[in-house]
Each structure stands twice: as C-alpha cells, then as structure tokens.
Amino acid sequence: MCGIVGYVGKKDSVEILLNSLAKLEYRGYDSAGIAVFDEGKIVVEKTKGRLADLGEKLEKTYRPKGTCGIGHTRWATHGEPSDINSHPHGNEKITVVHNGIIENYNKIKTFLVEKGYVFESETDTETVAKLLDYYYNGNPFETIVKVLKEIEGSYGLGIMFADFPEKIFAVRKDSPLIVGVGEGENFIASDVPAILKYTRNYYLIEQNEIVTLSKDEVVIQDIHGDIIKKELKVADWDEESAEKGGFEHFMLKEIHEQPTALKTTIMPRVLNGMPFLEECGITTDMLKLYNKIFIVACGTAMHAGMVGKYLIERIARVDVTVDIASEFRYRNPIISSKDLVILISQSGETADTKAVLRLAKEHRATTLSIVNVKGSSIARESDFVIYTHAGPEISVASTKAYTVQLSIMYLLTFQLAYARGKITEEECREYTRKLVELPDIITDVLEIKDKCQYAASKLVNADSLLYIGRGLDYALSMEGSLKLKEISYIHSESYAAGELKHGTISLVTEHMPVIAVATQDDLFEKTISNVKEVKARGAYVLMICKENADYDNDAVDFVIKIPAADNIFMPIITAVPLQFIAYYTSVLKGCDVDKPRNLAKSVTVE
Ligand code: M6R
C-alpha cells in the first residue's frame, strides 16, 4: 500500500503535491518523492524517510519549479526503504509512481535485461517504467495499453512523458485511483483526502481505465480507446473522516481492507498454482531439514501462530511449539541448529519478539520472520523474512495484519508439507487454489456485519463472557476474545470447549454470554454438546458456524452463519465476524475503538 498523487494546473505543483501526499501518509511513509515538469524537463527529487524529510531535502538542495507533477509516499514491498528504491522511477523521458505490486516483475525484468536495460533499484515498479520506455512509440496511450497487456498484479500508476509536458497519465487495476476535478486544475490520487483541500469533485476510476489529464481537461478511455463518460462525484466528508475512507473508525476500514490485503499478500507467492516462497529465499530443500519448529510472537501475532501450529502439525506432520515471546525468552528453551524459529510480528519492532530472535540466533537456529513493516528490526535481523502486504495498520486492534499472517501460515504449511512428501503435488495445488479463492469469500463475509451488530447489542451489557471452540476453532477464539476485551473492556476468556467442565463451567450463569465457534465438521457434534452444557446453565449462546451446519435450534440463542469452506480455511473466514462483534460492542459502549486505553500499537518495551 502506497499513496500516489498528481497535479496539473497553474499553481506551484510542489506545494500541492506535498500537501496531498501528507493526506496519504497513512498509506505508508518509508520514503517519498516527486517528479515535476521544470522548464519542460522532468526533474525528480526523492528520499528515504517521511514526507517531512523530502520537504527538508527540497529546501536544502533544489525545489523544482513547475505547475505539473506526480508524487509518491511509499510502503515498501520490493526492496528496502532507501533513496534508490523511492519513487518516482524511470528516466528523463518517462517517469512513474506506483501503488500496488507487479507480480510478474521478475519475468519482465529478465526480458528487459536481455534487451540491454540496466536496473538501479530492487523495486517491481522500475520494470513498469522500463517497459514503458521499451514500448514507447511517441503515443502515450498506445504505449500504456501495450504495457498493461504484459503486467500482472495490482497497480495505481501516475506517469509523465517528457514529450507531453503539462500532461499526466494514469491507470489502475486492483489499487485505488481517483481523479480530482478543479477550476483550471486537475488531480490524481490514491484516495479522496489528498484532494479535499482543493476540490470536492472527483471521478472514481475503474479497472484498466486510462486517464489523460491536462489543466483544462480530463479524458478517460478504455483500453480500446473509447471515451468513458462518468458521473462526477462530490465528496461530503470532512478531511478526518475522508482519511478513514468514509468509515467511522480505522478498525472498520481495516476490516474492509482484508480482501485486498490478502490478495496482495498471497498472489505474489503463488506460481503456476503452487506456493512460491523462493522470492523470500525459502527453498523446498531447506524445508526438508528442520527437526522442530518454534513459532514465537505476542498477542494477535501469537494467535496467528496457534492456527499455524494446528495447520503445520495436521498437514505437514512437523512438531510445532508455539509460545508467547515474553515467556519463551526466559524459559531456557531447548533449541538447536537443526530447528526453525518463526517470529511473527506486524510492527517488526516488538521488544520481546526481537529478544527471542536474538536468542534463537545465539542457538544457531534458522530464523524466519513474518513481518508487515518493511525494513523493521525483526525483518532485518532474521535469516529469512516473508513480508505480509497489509499496508499500514493504524487501529491498535489488529485485524488485517492477523488475517494476512494466517495466509502466510497456509502457504508455509503447504510448501512444507509438499517438501516433506506429506501431500502430493495435486493436493498442494488444490489447497493453494482454495487459498487463492479466500479473498473473494471474505468479500462476501463482510456483508454479515448487520448480524454481528445485532449480536453485539446482546453482549454489550455483560461484565464477562466466554469464547469456546475446539481445534482450529479454539485457536481462533483466542483472537476473538482478545479483540473483544481490548477494545470493549468487557472481560472475556477463550476456552477449549472440552475443558470447560474441568472447572470453568462453574462461572456460567445467565449473566455470562458464551460465543461458540463451531466451524470444524469433525468436531461439530462435540462442540454442540458443550454448547448444550452452557445453555443448560442459563448462558445466552451465540454460535458461529458453517451455513450448512445441522444443529438443534433450542441449543442456541443466535446464530451467525458463514460460507462453508474446507475446515482448514475456516479460521480466516470466521475471523471477520469475530472482528465485527468486537468492533460493534466497542462502538455501542462508546469506547475509543482505534485507541483503546493503556495500549500502544507498537510495544517496544519489555
Ligand atoms: O507488532 P506485533 O505484531 O509484534 O505486536 C504484537 C502485539 O502487541 C499485537 O499483536 C497486539 O496483540 C494487537 N495489536 C492486538 O490487537
């Protein structure tokens, strides 16, 4: 997730680009850059760091003068945050800013290198800039169409051609793009907040529509060159709510971003229908080696690890220990050089997780981190890193970071199981195919928010509640419980459903609602028995199960049904209603959803 902007008009473009980018820094802030037509030439200025660093650099070195330009604020995916990897990319003839991921960039790069192109950066974006250069025939539209036919993945692109000063070209697929329409000035941006200071009128650009922007005209064409007429929209948000994309809270926005976050995390790691982690250095041979696997993390990330343990043990048949980092580091764990230690962290800066990484290295174990923030300490210090591509997560309560962590757990499990001969190539393909379908299923699941809102209204007055489940449902219910307690301040615990009768069931009364997660076919009957036990003690029971589940209506008070997928994929689907339930409970209680008391997004102290 990055932010792109563009301006063409009569005013100082640098000031407008910087102001607009500031409104998109929530999309990433690893580096920033601009390209401006300065006396007919494209002048590029960029730097690692935040927008403020770019502003300082412009004051110290050179501040381009001109009324047309493009800009970028980066959330690094391919290549560390650095000056050279910052956008714009290109040369004096064609310059590009990009939001998204070019999945087949390696193939294109190989082709272009054979044609004599020399690459400077590690980014996927540079391949687009060079491919545009390769196909350029004096006609920007035709050149862009040729490039679109070659590139796969997601993109919002802003492009400048030196032969066409005072014009900006733009196109998108699976990454957002809008065109702001002003008086004698026009804009492109990844999101509406970027333009609100200047205009409230905008067009929403759809898949593969190509935009040509000059100060007095906006032309939108399909790839055949036909002009597309669009309804001009008028933004009625204030600037703050616009940053939340019109959602009331970042958490709600981030819940809705999950289909895209999953797609951008999964797709670059699937090649010819098989998991492909080689780009992260993880080879099939290496996965055959390890004796034991440790997964160590904190909070939500540890819960993703719990799901990972169930998956890896069930499918790849490797022994997995999951632990909380703050416990693991002090329990003198038995780790050897034959083991793999997996660290999961959204921020990549969590102090305890970082300490475990260092401990694992002291024991000469191989370390693999699953991290969202590019270039963070844990990512840099690990032997191997698989980045999740969730984009910045602003809300303290983790949502999209959790589901993308799960998606990596699936890919790793399948590759591990295949490497160790525990599944056939055909089975591996089938699992991978089902994983690739998940983002679309999640899009459908987002529709059940009203039911979850109703469920929240039944929980809001409780002082305490229980989440129960078995197997993968238990692993997931830990996350459901944490989500609820951290943002609604209602005490809750997650219990293995079969364990209740060994003590905890004495707490169950009509004042203790129970959320039963029951999505695993093989364990469903057993969980229903436990549901009946709590119902018999007066609990209000809310059950989440597959749409085709067969149960006794008297056993439950309210049911949320979700699409029936393969059992192993149910945690990622079921996470969504659990997130909604926590969210709406917090809203109904009037809590500060995005910034719950006593918590911080990144926990860099022990
Ligand atoms: O950045 P990390 O993933 O290492 O953070 C670990 C936990 O602090 C974090 O997952 C926390 O539990 C969540 N924000 C809760 O929603």
Side-chain angles (χ1 to χ4, degrees):
M1 196 154 127
C2 303
I4 68 166
V5 296
Y7 171 77
V8 51
K10 297 176 215 145
K11 298 177 194 147
D12 171 22
S13 60
V14 173
E15 191 188 327
I16 293 175
L17 293 173
L18 294 181
N19 282 337
S20 301
L21 285 173
K23 295 291 169 196
L24 297 184
E25 263 198 314
Y26 76 89
R27 302 179 65 84
Y29 39 76
D30 294 327
S31 65
I34 53 169
V36 170
F37 275 116
D38 186 338
E39 297 188 356
K41 289 206 176 88
I42 299 175
V43 174
V44 173
E45 295 292 340
K46 55 188 185 177
T47 185
K48 177 184 167 180
R50 301 191 76 133
L51 206 52
D53 299 309
L54 177 65
E56 257 175 48
K57 184 179 176 199
L58 295 181
E59 293 316 320
K60 281 195 196 137
T61 55
Y62 178 67
R63 193 177 200 277
K65 294 168 199 63
T67 55
C68 176
I70 52 179
H72 190 267
T73 180
R74 178 167 187 244
W75 175 262
T77 58
H78 294 68
E80 298 295 311
S82 67
D83 288 354
I84 204 80
N85 288 332
S86 310
H87 297 216
H89 288 283
N91 55 23
E92 67 289 349
K93 288 194 297 178
I94 302 172
T95 301
V96 173
V97 287
H98 169 218
N99 164 34
I101 293 182
I102 305 302
E103 287 162 14
N104 60 341
Y105 81 101
N106 253 329
K107 196 173 136 203
I108 298 173
K109 191 168 176 177
T110 308
F111 167 79
L112 289 167
V113 167
E114 276 168 17
K115 298 285 172 201
Y117 282 89
V118 178
F119 282 75
E120 292 169 351
S121 76
E122 301 158 275
T123 64
D124 50 339
T125 305
E126 196 180 353
T127 60
V128 180
K130 292 209 161 31
L131 199 60
L132 283 162
D133 184 74
Y134 175 75
Y135 281 125
Y136 185 56
N137 62 357
N139 181 323
F141 180 85
E142 285 175 15
T143 307
I144 291 170
V145 170
K146 279 189 190 143
V147 168
L148 296 190
K149 287 184 180 157
E150 303 274 330
I151 57 177
E152 290 165 17
S154 56
Y155 44 83
L157 291 166
I159 311 166
M160 287 171 31
F161 291 83
D163 292 345
F164 295 81
E166 307 311 309
K167 274 198 164 74
I168 294 170
F169 300 84
V171 63
R172 73 160 278 246
K173 182 183 152 263
D174 293 335
S175 290
L177 183 70
I178 59 131
V179 167
V181 180
E183 295 279 327
E185 57 184 6
N186 291 308
F187 308 79
I188 57 163
S190 299
D191 202 354
V192 176
I195 59 156
L196 282 183
K197 190 166 181 203
Y198 308 103
T199 179
R200 296 197 159 257
N201 300 329
Y202 68 97
Y203 294 119
L204 272 179
I205 303 305
E206 301 295 342
Q207 301 282 72
N208 281 328
E209 291 177 348
I210 299 169
V211 180
T212 308
L213 214 65
S214 54
K215 71 179 168 43
D216 298 313
E217 196 181 26
V218 176
V219 179
I220 304 169
Q221 290 165 282
D222 65 17
I223 53 166
H224 308 294
D226 293 329
I227 302 283
I228 298 168
K229 289 259 168 264
K230 280 192 175 271
E231 177 201 349
L232 193 62
K233 298 194 177 291
V234 182
D236 55 3
W237 305 325
D238 59 35
E239 286 187 34
E240 197 202 327
S241 62
E243 272 173 49
K244 295 177 189 148
F247 290 100
E248 206 181 328
H249 298 99
F250 279 109
M251 182 179 175
L252 192 59
K253 176 170 181 262
E254 287 159 5
I255 291 173
H256 283 83
E257 282 171 352
Q258 290 180 108
T260 309
L262 283 165
K263 224 179 249 180
T264 44
T265 300
I266 297 168
M267 293 316 291
R269 281 65 183 262
V270 174
L271 186 68
N272 301 324
M274 292 287 278
F276 177 71
L277 297 173
E278 266 86 352
E279 66 146 17
C280 315
I282 297 161
T283 62
T284 304
D285 281 347
M286 142 189 174
L287 290 175
K288 287 179 188 157
L289 299 177
Y290 306 112
N291 267 359
K292 279 189 292 176
I293 295 178
F294 295 90
I295 305 180
V296 190
C298 301
T300 292
M302 192 278 286
H303 295 154
M306 279 299 291
V307 173
K309 171 185 167 73
Y310 278 86
L311 295 173
I312 294 172
E313 289 190 342
R314 187 187 295 188
I315 301 170
R317 307 302 295 157
V318 184
D319 194 6
V320 181
T321 300
V322 180
D323 212 341
I324 297 164
S326 55
E327 286 296 309
F328 188 83
R329 62 184 288 199
Y330 295 116
R331 72 172 165 86
N332 197 7
I334 306 163
I335 324 172
S336 83
S337 58
K338 294 187 181 135
D339 300 332
L340 174 67
V341 179
I342 302 177
L343 297 312
I344 309 179
S345 177
Q346 187 285 129
S347 62
E349 299 295 347
T350 301
D352 285 316
T353 312
K354 198 156 55 176
V356 170
L357 166 67
R358 290 175 184 165
L359 182 75
K361 294 194 99 166
E362 278 167 27
H363 287 80
R364 300 172 161 226
T366 304
T367 54
L368 161 64
S369 63
I370 298 169
V371 173
N372 197 39
V373 178
K374 191 98 188 182
S376 53
S377 308
I378 293 174
R380 275 186 281 119
E381 291 179 32
S382 306
D383 297 320
F384 300 94
V385 52
I386 307 177
Y387 284 109
T388 50
H389 297 315
E393 196 178 58
I394 311 275
S395 174
V396 166
S398 200
T399 52
K400 60 179 181 170
Y402 173 70
T403 45
V404 294
Q405 285 162 356
L406 292 188
S407 72
I408 297 295
M409 284 288 122
Y410 289 105
L411 285 165
L412 203 55
T413 300
F414 303 154
Q415 185 148 347
L416 193 65
Y418 180 59
R420 292 183 167 234
K422 300 298 176 195
I423 54 173
T424 62
E425 183 179 330
E426 203 179 294
E427 285 167 328
C428 192
R429 279 183 192 287
E430 186 57 8
Y431 278 137
T432 310
R433 185 187 65 73
K434 289 178 177 168
L435 179 68
V436 166
E437 284 174 359
L438 279 182
D440 290 339
I441 298 177
I442 302 290
T443 304
D444 294 342
V445 177
L446 292 172
E447 297 300 315
I448 59 171
K449 55 173 165 268
D450 293 349
K451 282 202 137 193
C452 300
Q453 195 168 10
Y454 175 79
S457 73
K458 294 287 176 191
L459 307 176
V460 69
N461 293 320
D463 290 327
S464 184
L465 54 86
L466 279 181
Y467 284 72
I468 60 169
R470 285 170 179 259
L472 279 168
D473 286 333
Y474 171 49
L476 175 69
S477 69
M478 290 181 179
E479 175 56 10
S481 168
L482 174 65
K483 213 83 306 169
L484 183 94
K485 72 182 126 191
E486 72 172 320
I487 59 170
S488 76
Y489 316 144
I490 297 177
H491 169 256
S492 87
E493 292 305 327
S494 153
Y495 253 80
E499 180 67 8
L500 273 184
K501 59 174 88 58
H502 298 287
T504 309
I505 200 164
S506 67
L507 290 174
V508 175
T509 66
E510 67 274 26
H511 303 300
M512 166 82 93
V514 174
I515 299 184
V517 184
T519 69
Q520 300 296 301
D521 299 326
D522 50 337
L523 297 168
F524 187 73
E525 286 306 325
K526 300 267 176 221
T527 307
I528 283 288
S529 303
N530 303 129
V531 164
K532 286 181 177 166
E533 287 159 13
V534 293
K535 181 79 184 127
R537 275 130 188 113
Y540 175 87
V541 178
L542 160 65
M543 181 166 76
I544 304 177
C545 62
K546 287 183 178 173
E547 60 200 353
N548 55 2
D550 188 14
Y551 54 89
D552 177 357
N553 278 329
D554 295 340
V556 290
D557 293 284
F558 188 66
V559 178
I560 295 177
K561 293 186 178 177
I562 48 175
D566 191 317
N567 280 342
I568 63 158
F569 294 111
M570 290 313 291
I572 207 163
I573 298 172
T574 316
V576 177
L578 293 177
Q579 294 164 350
F580 276 139
I581 289 171
Y583 171 77
Y584 285 115
T585 308
S586 174
V587 170
L588 287 172
K589 286 197 72 179
C591 302
D592 188 346
V593 176
D594 288 330
K595 293 197 187 90
R597 69 188 178 206
N598 308 339
L599 290 173
K601 186 66 186 161
S602 185
V603 185
T604 52
V605 290
E606 276 192 48

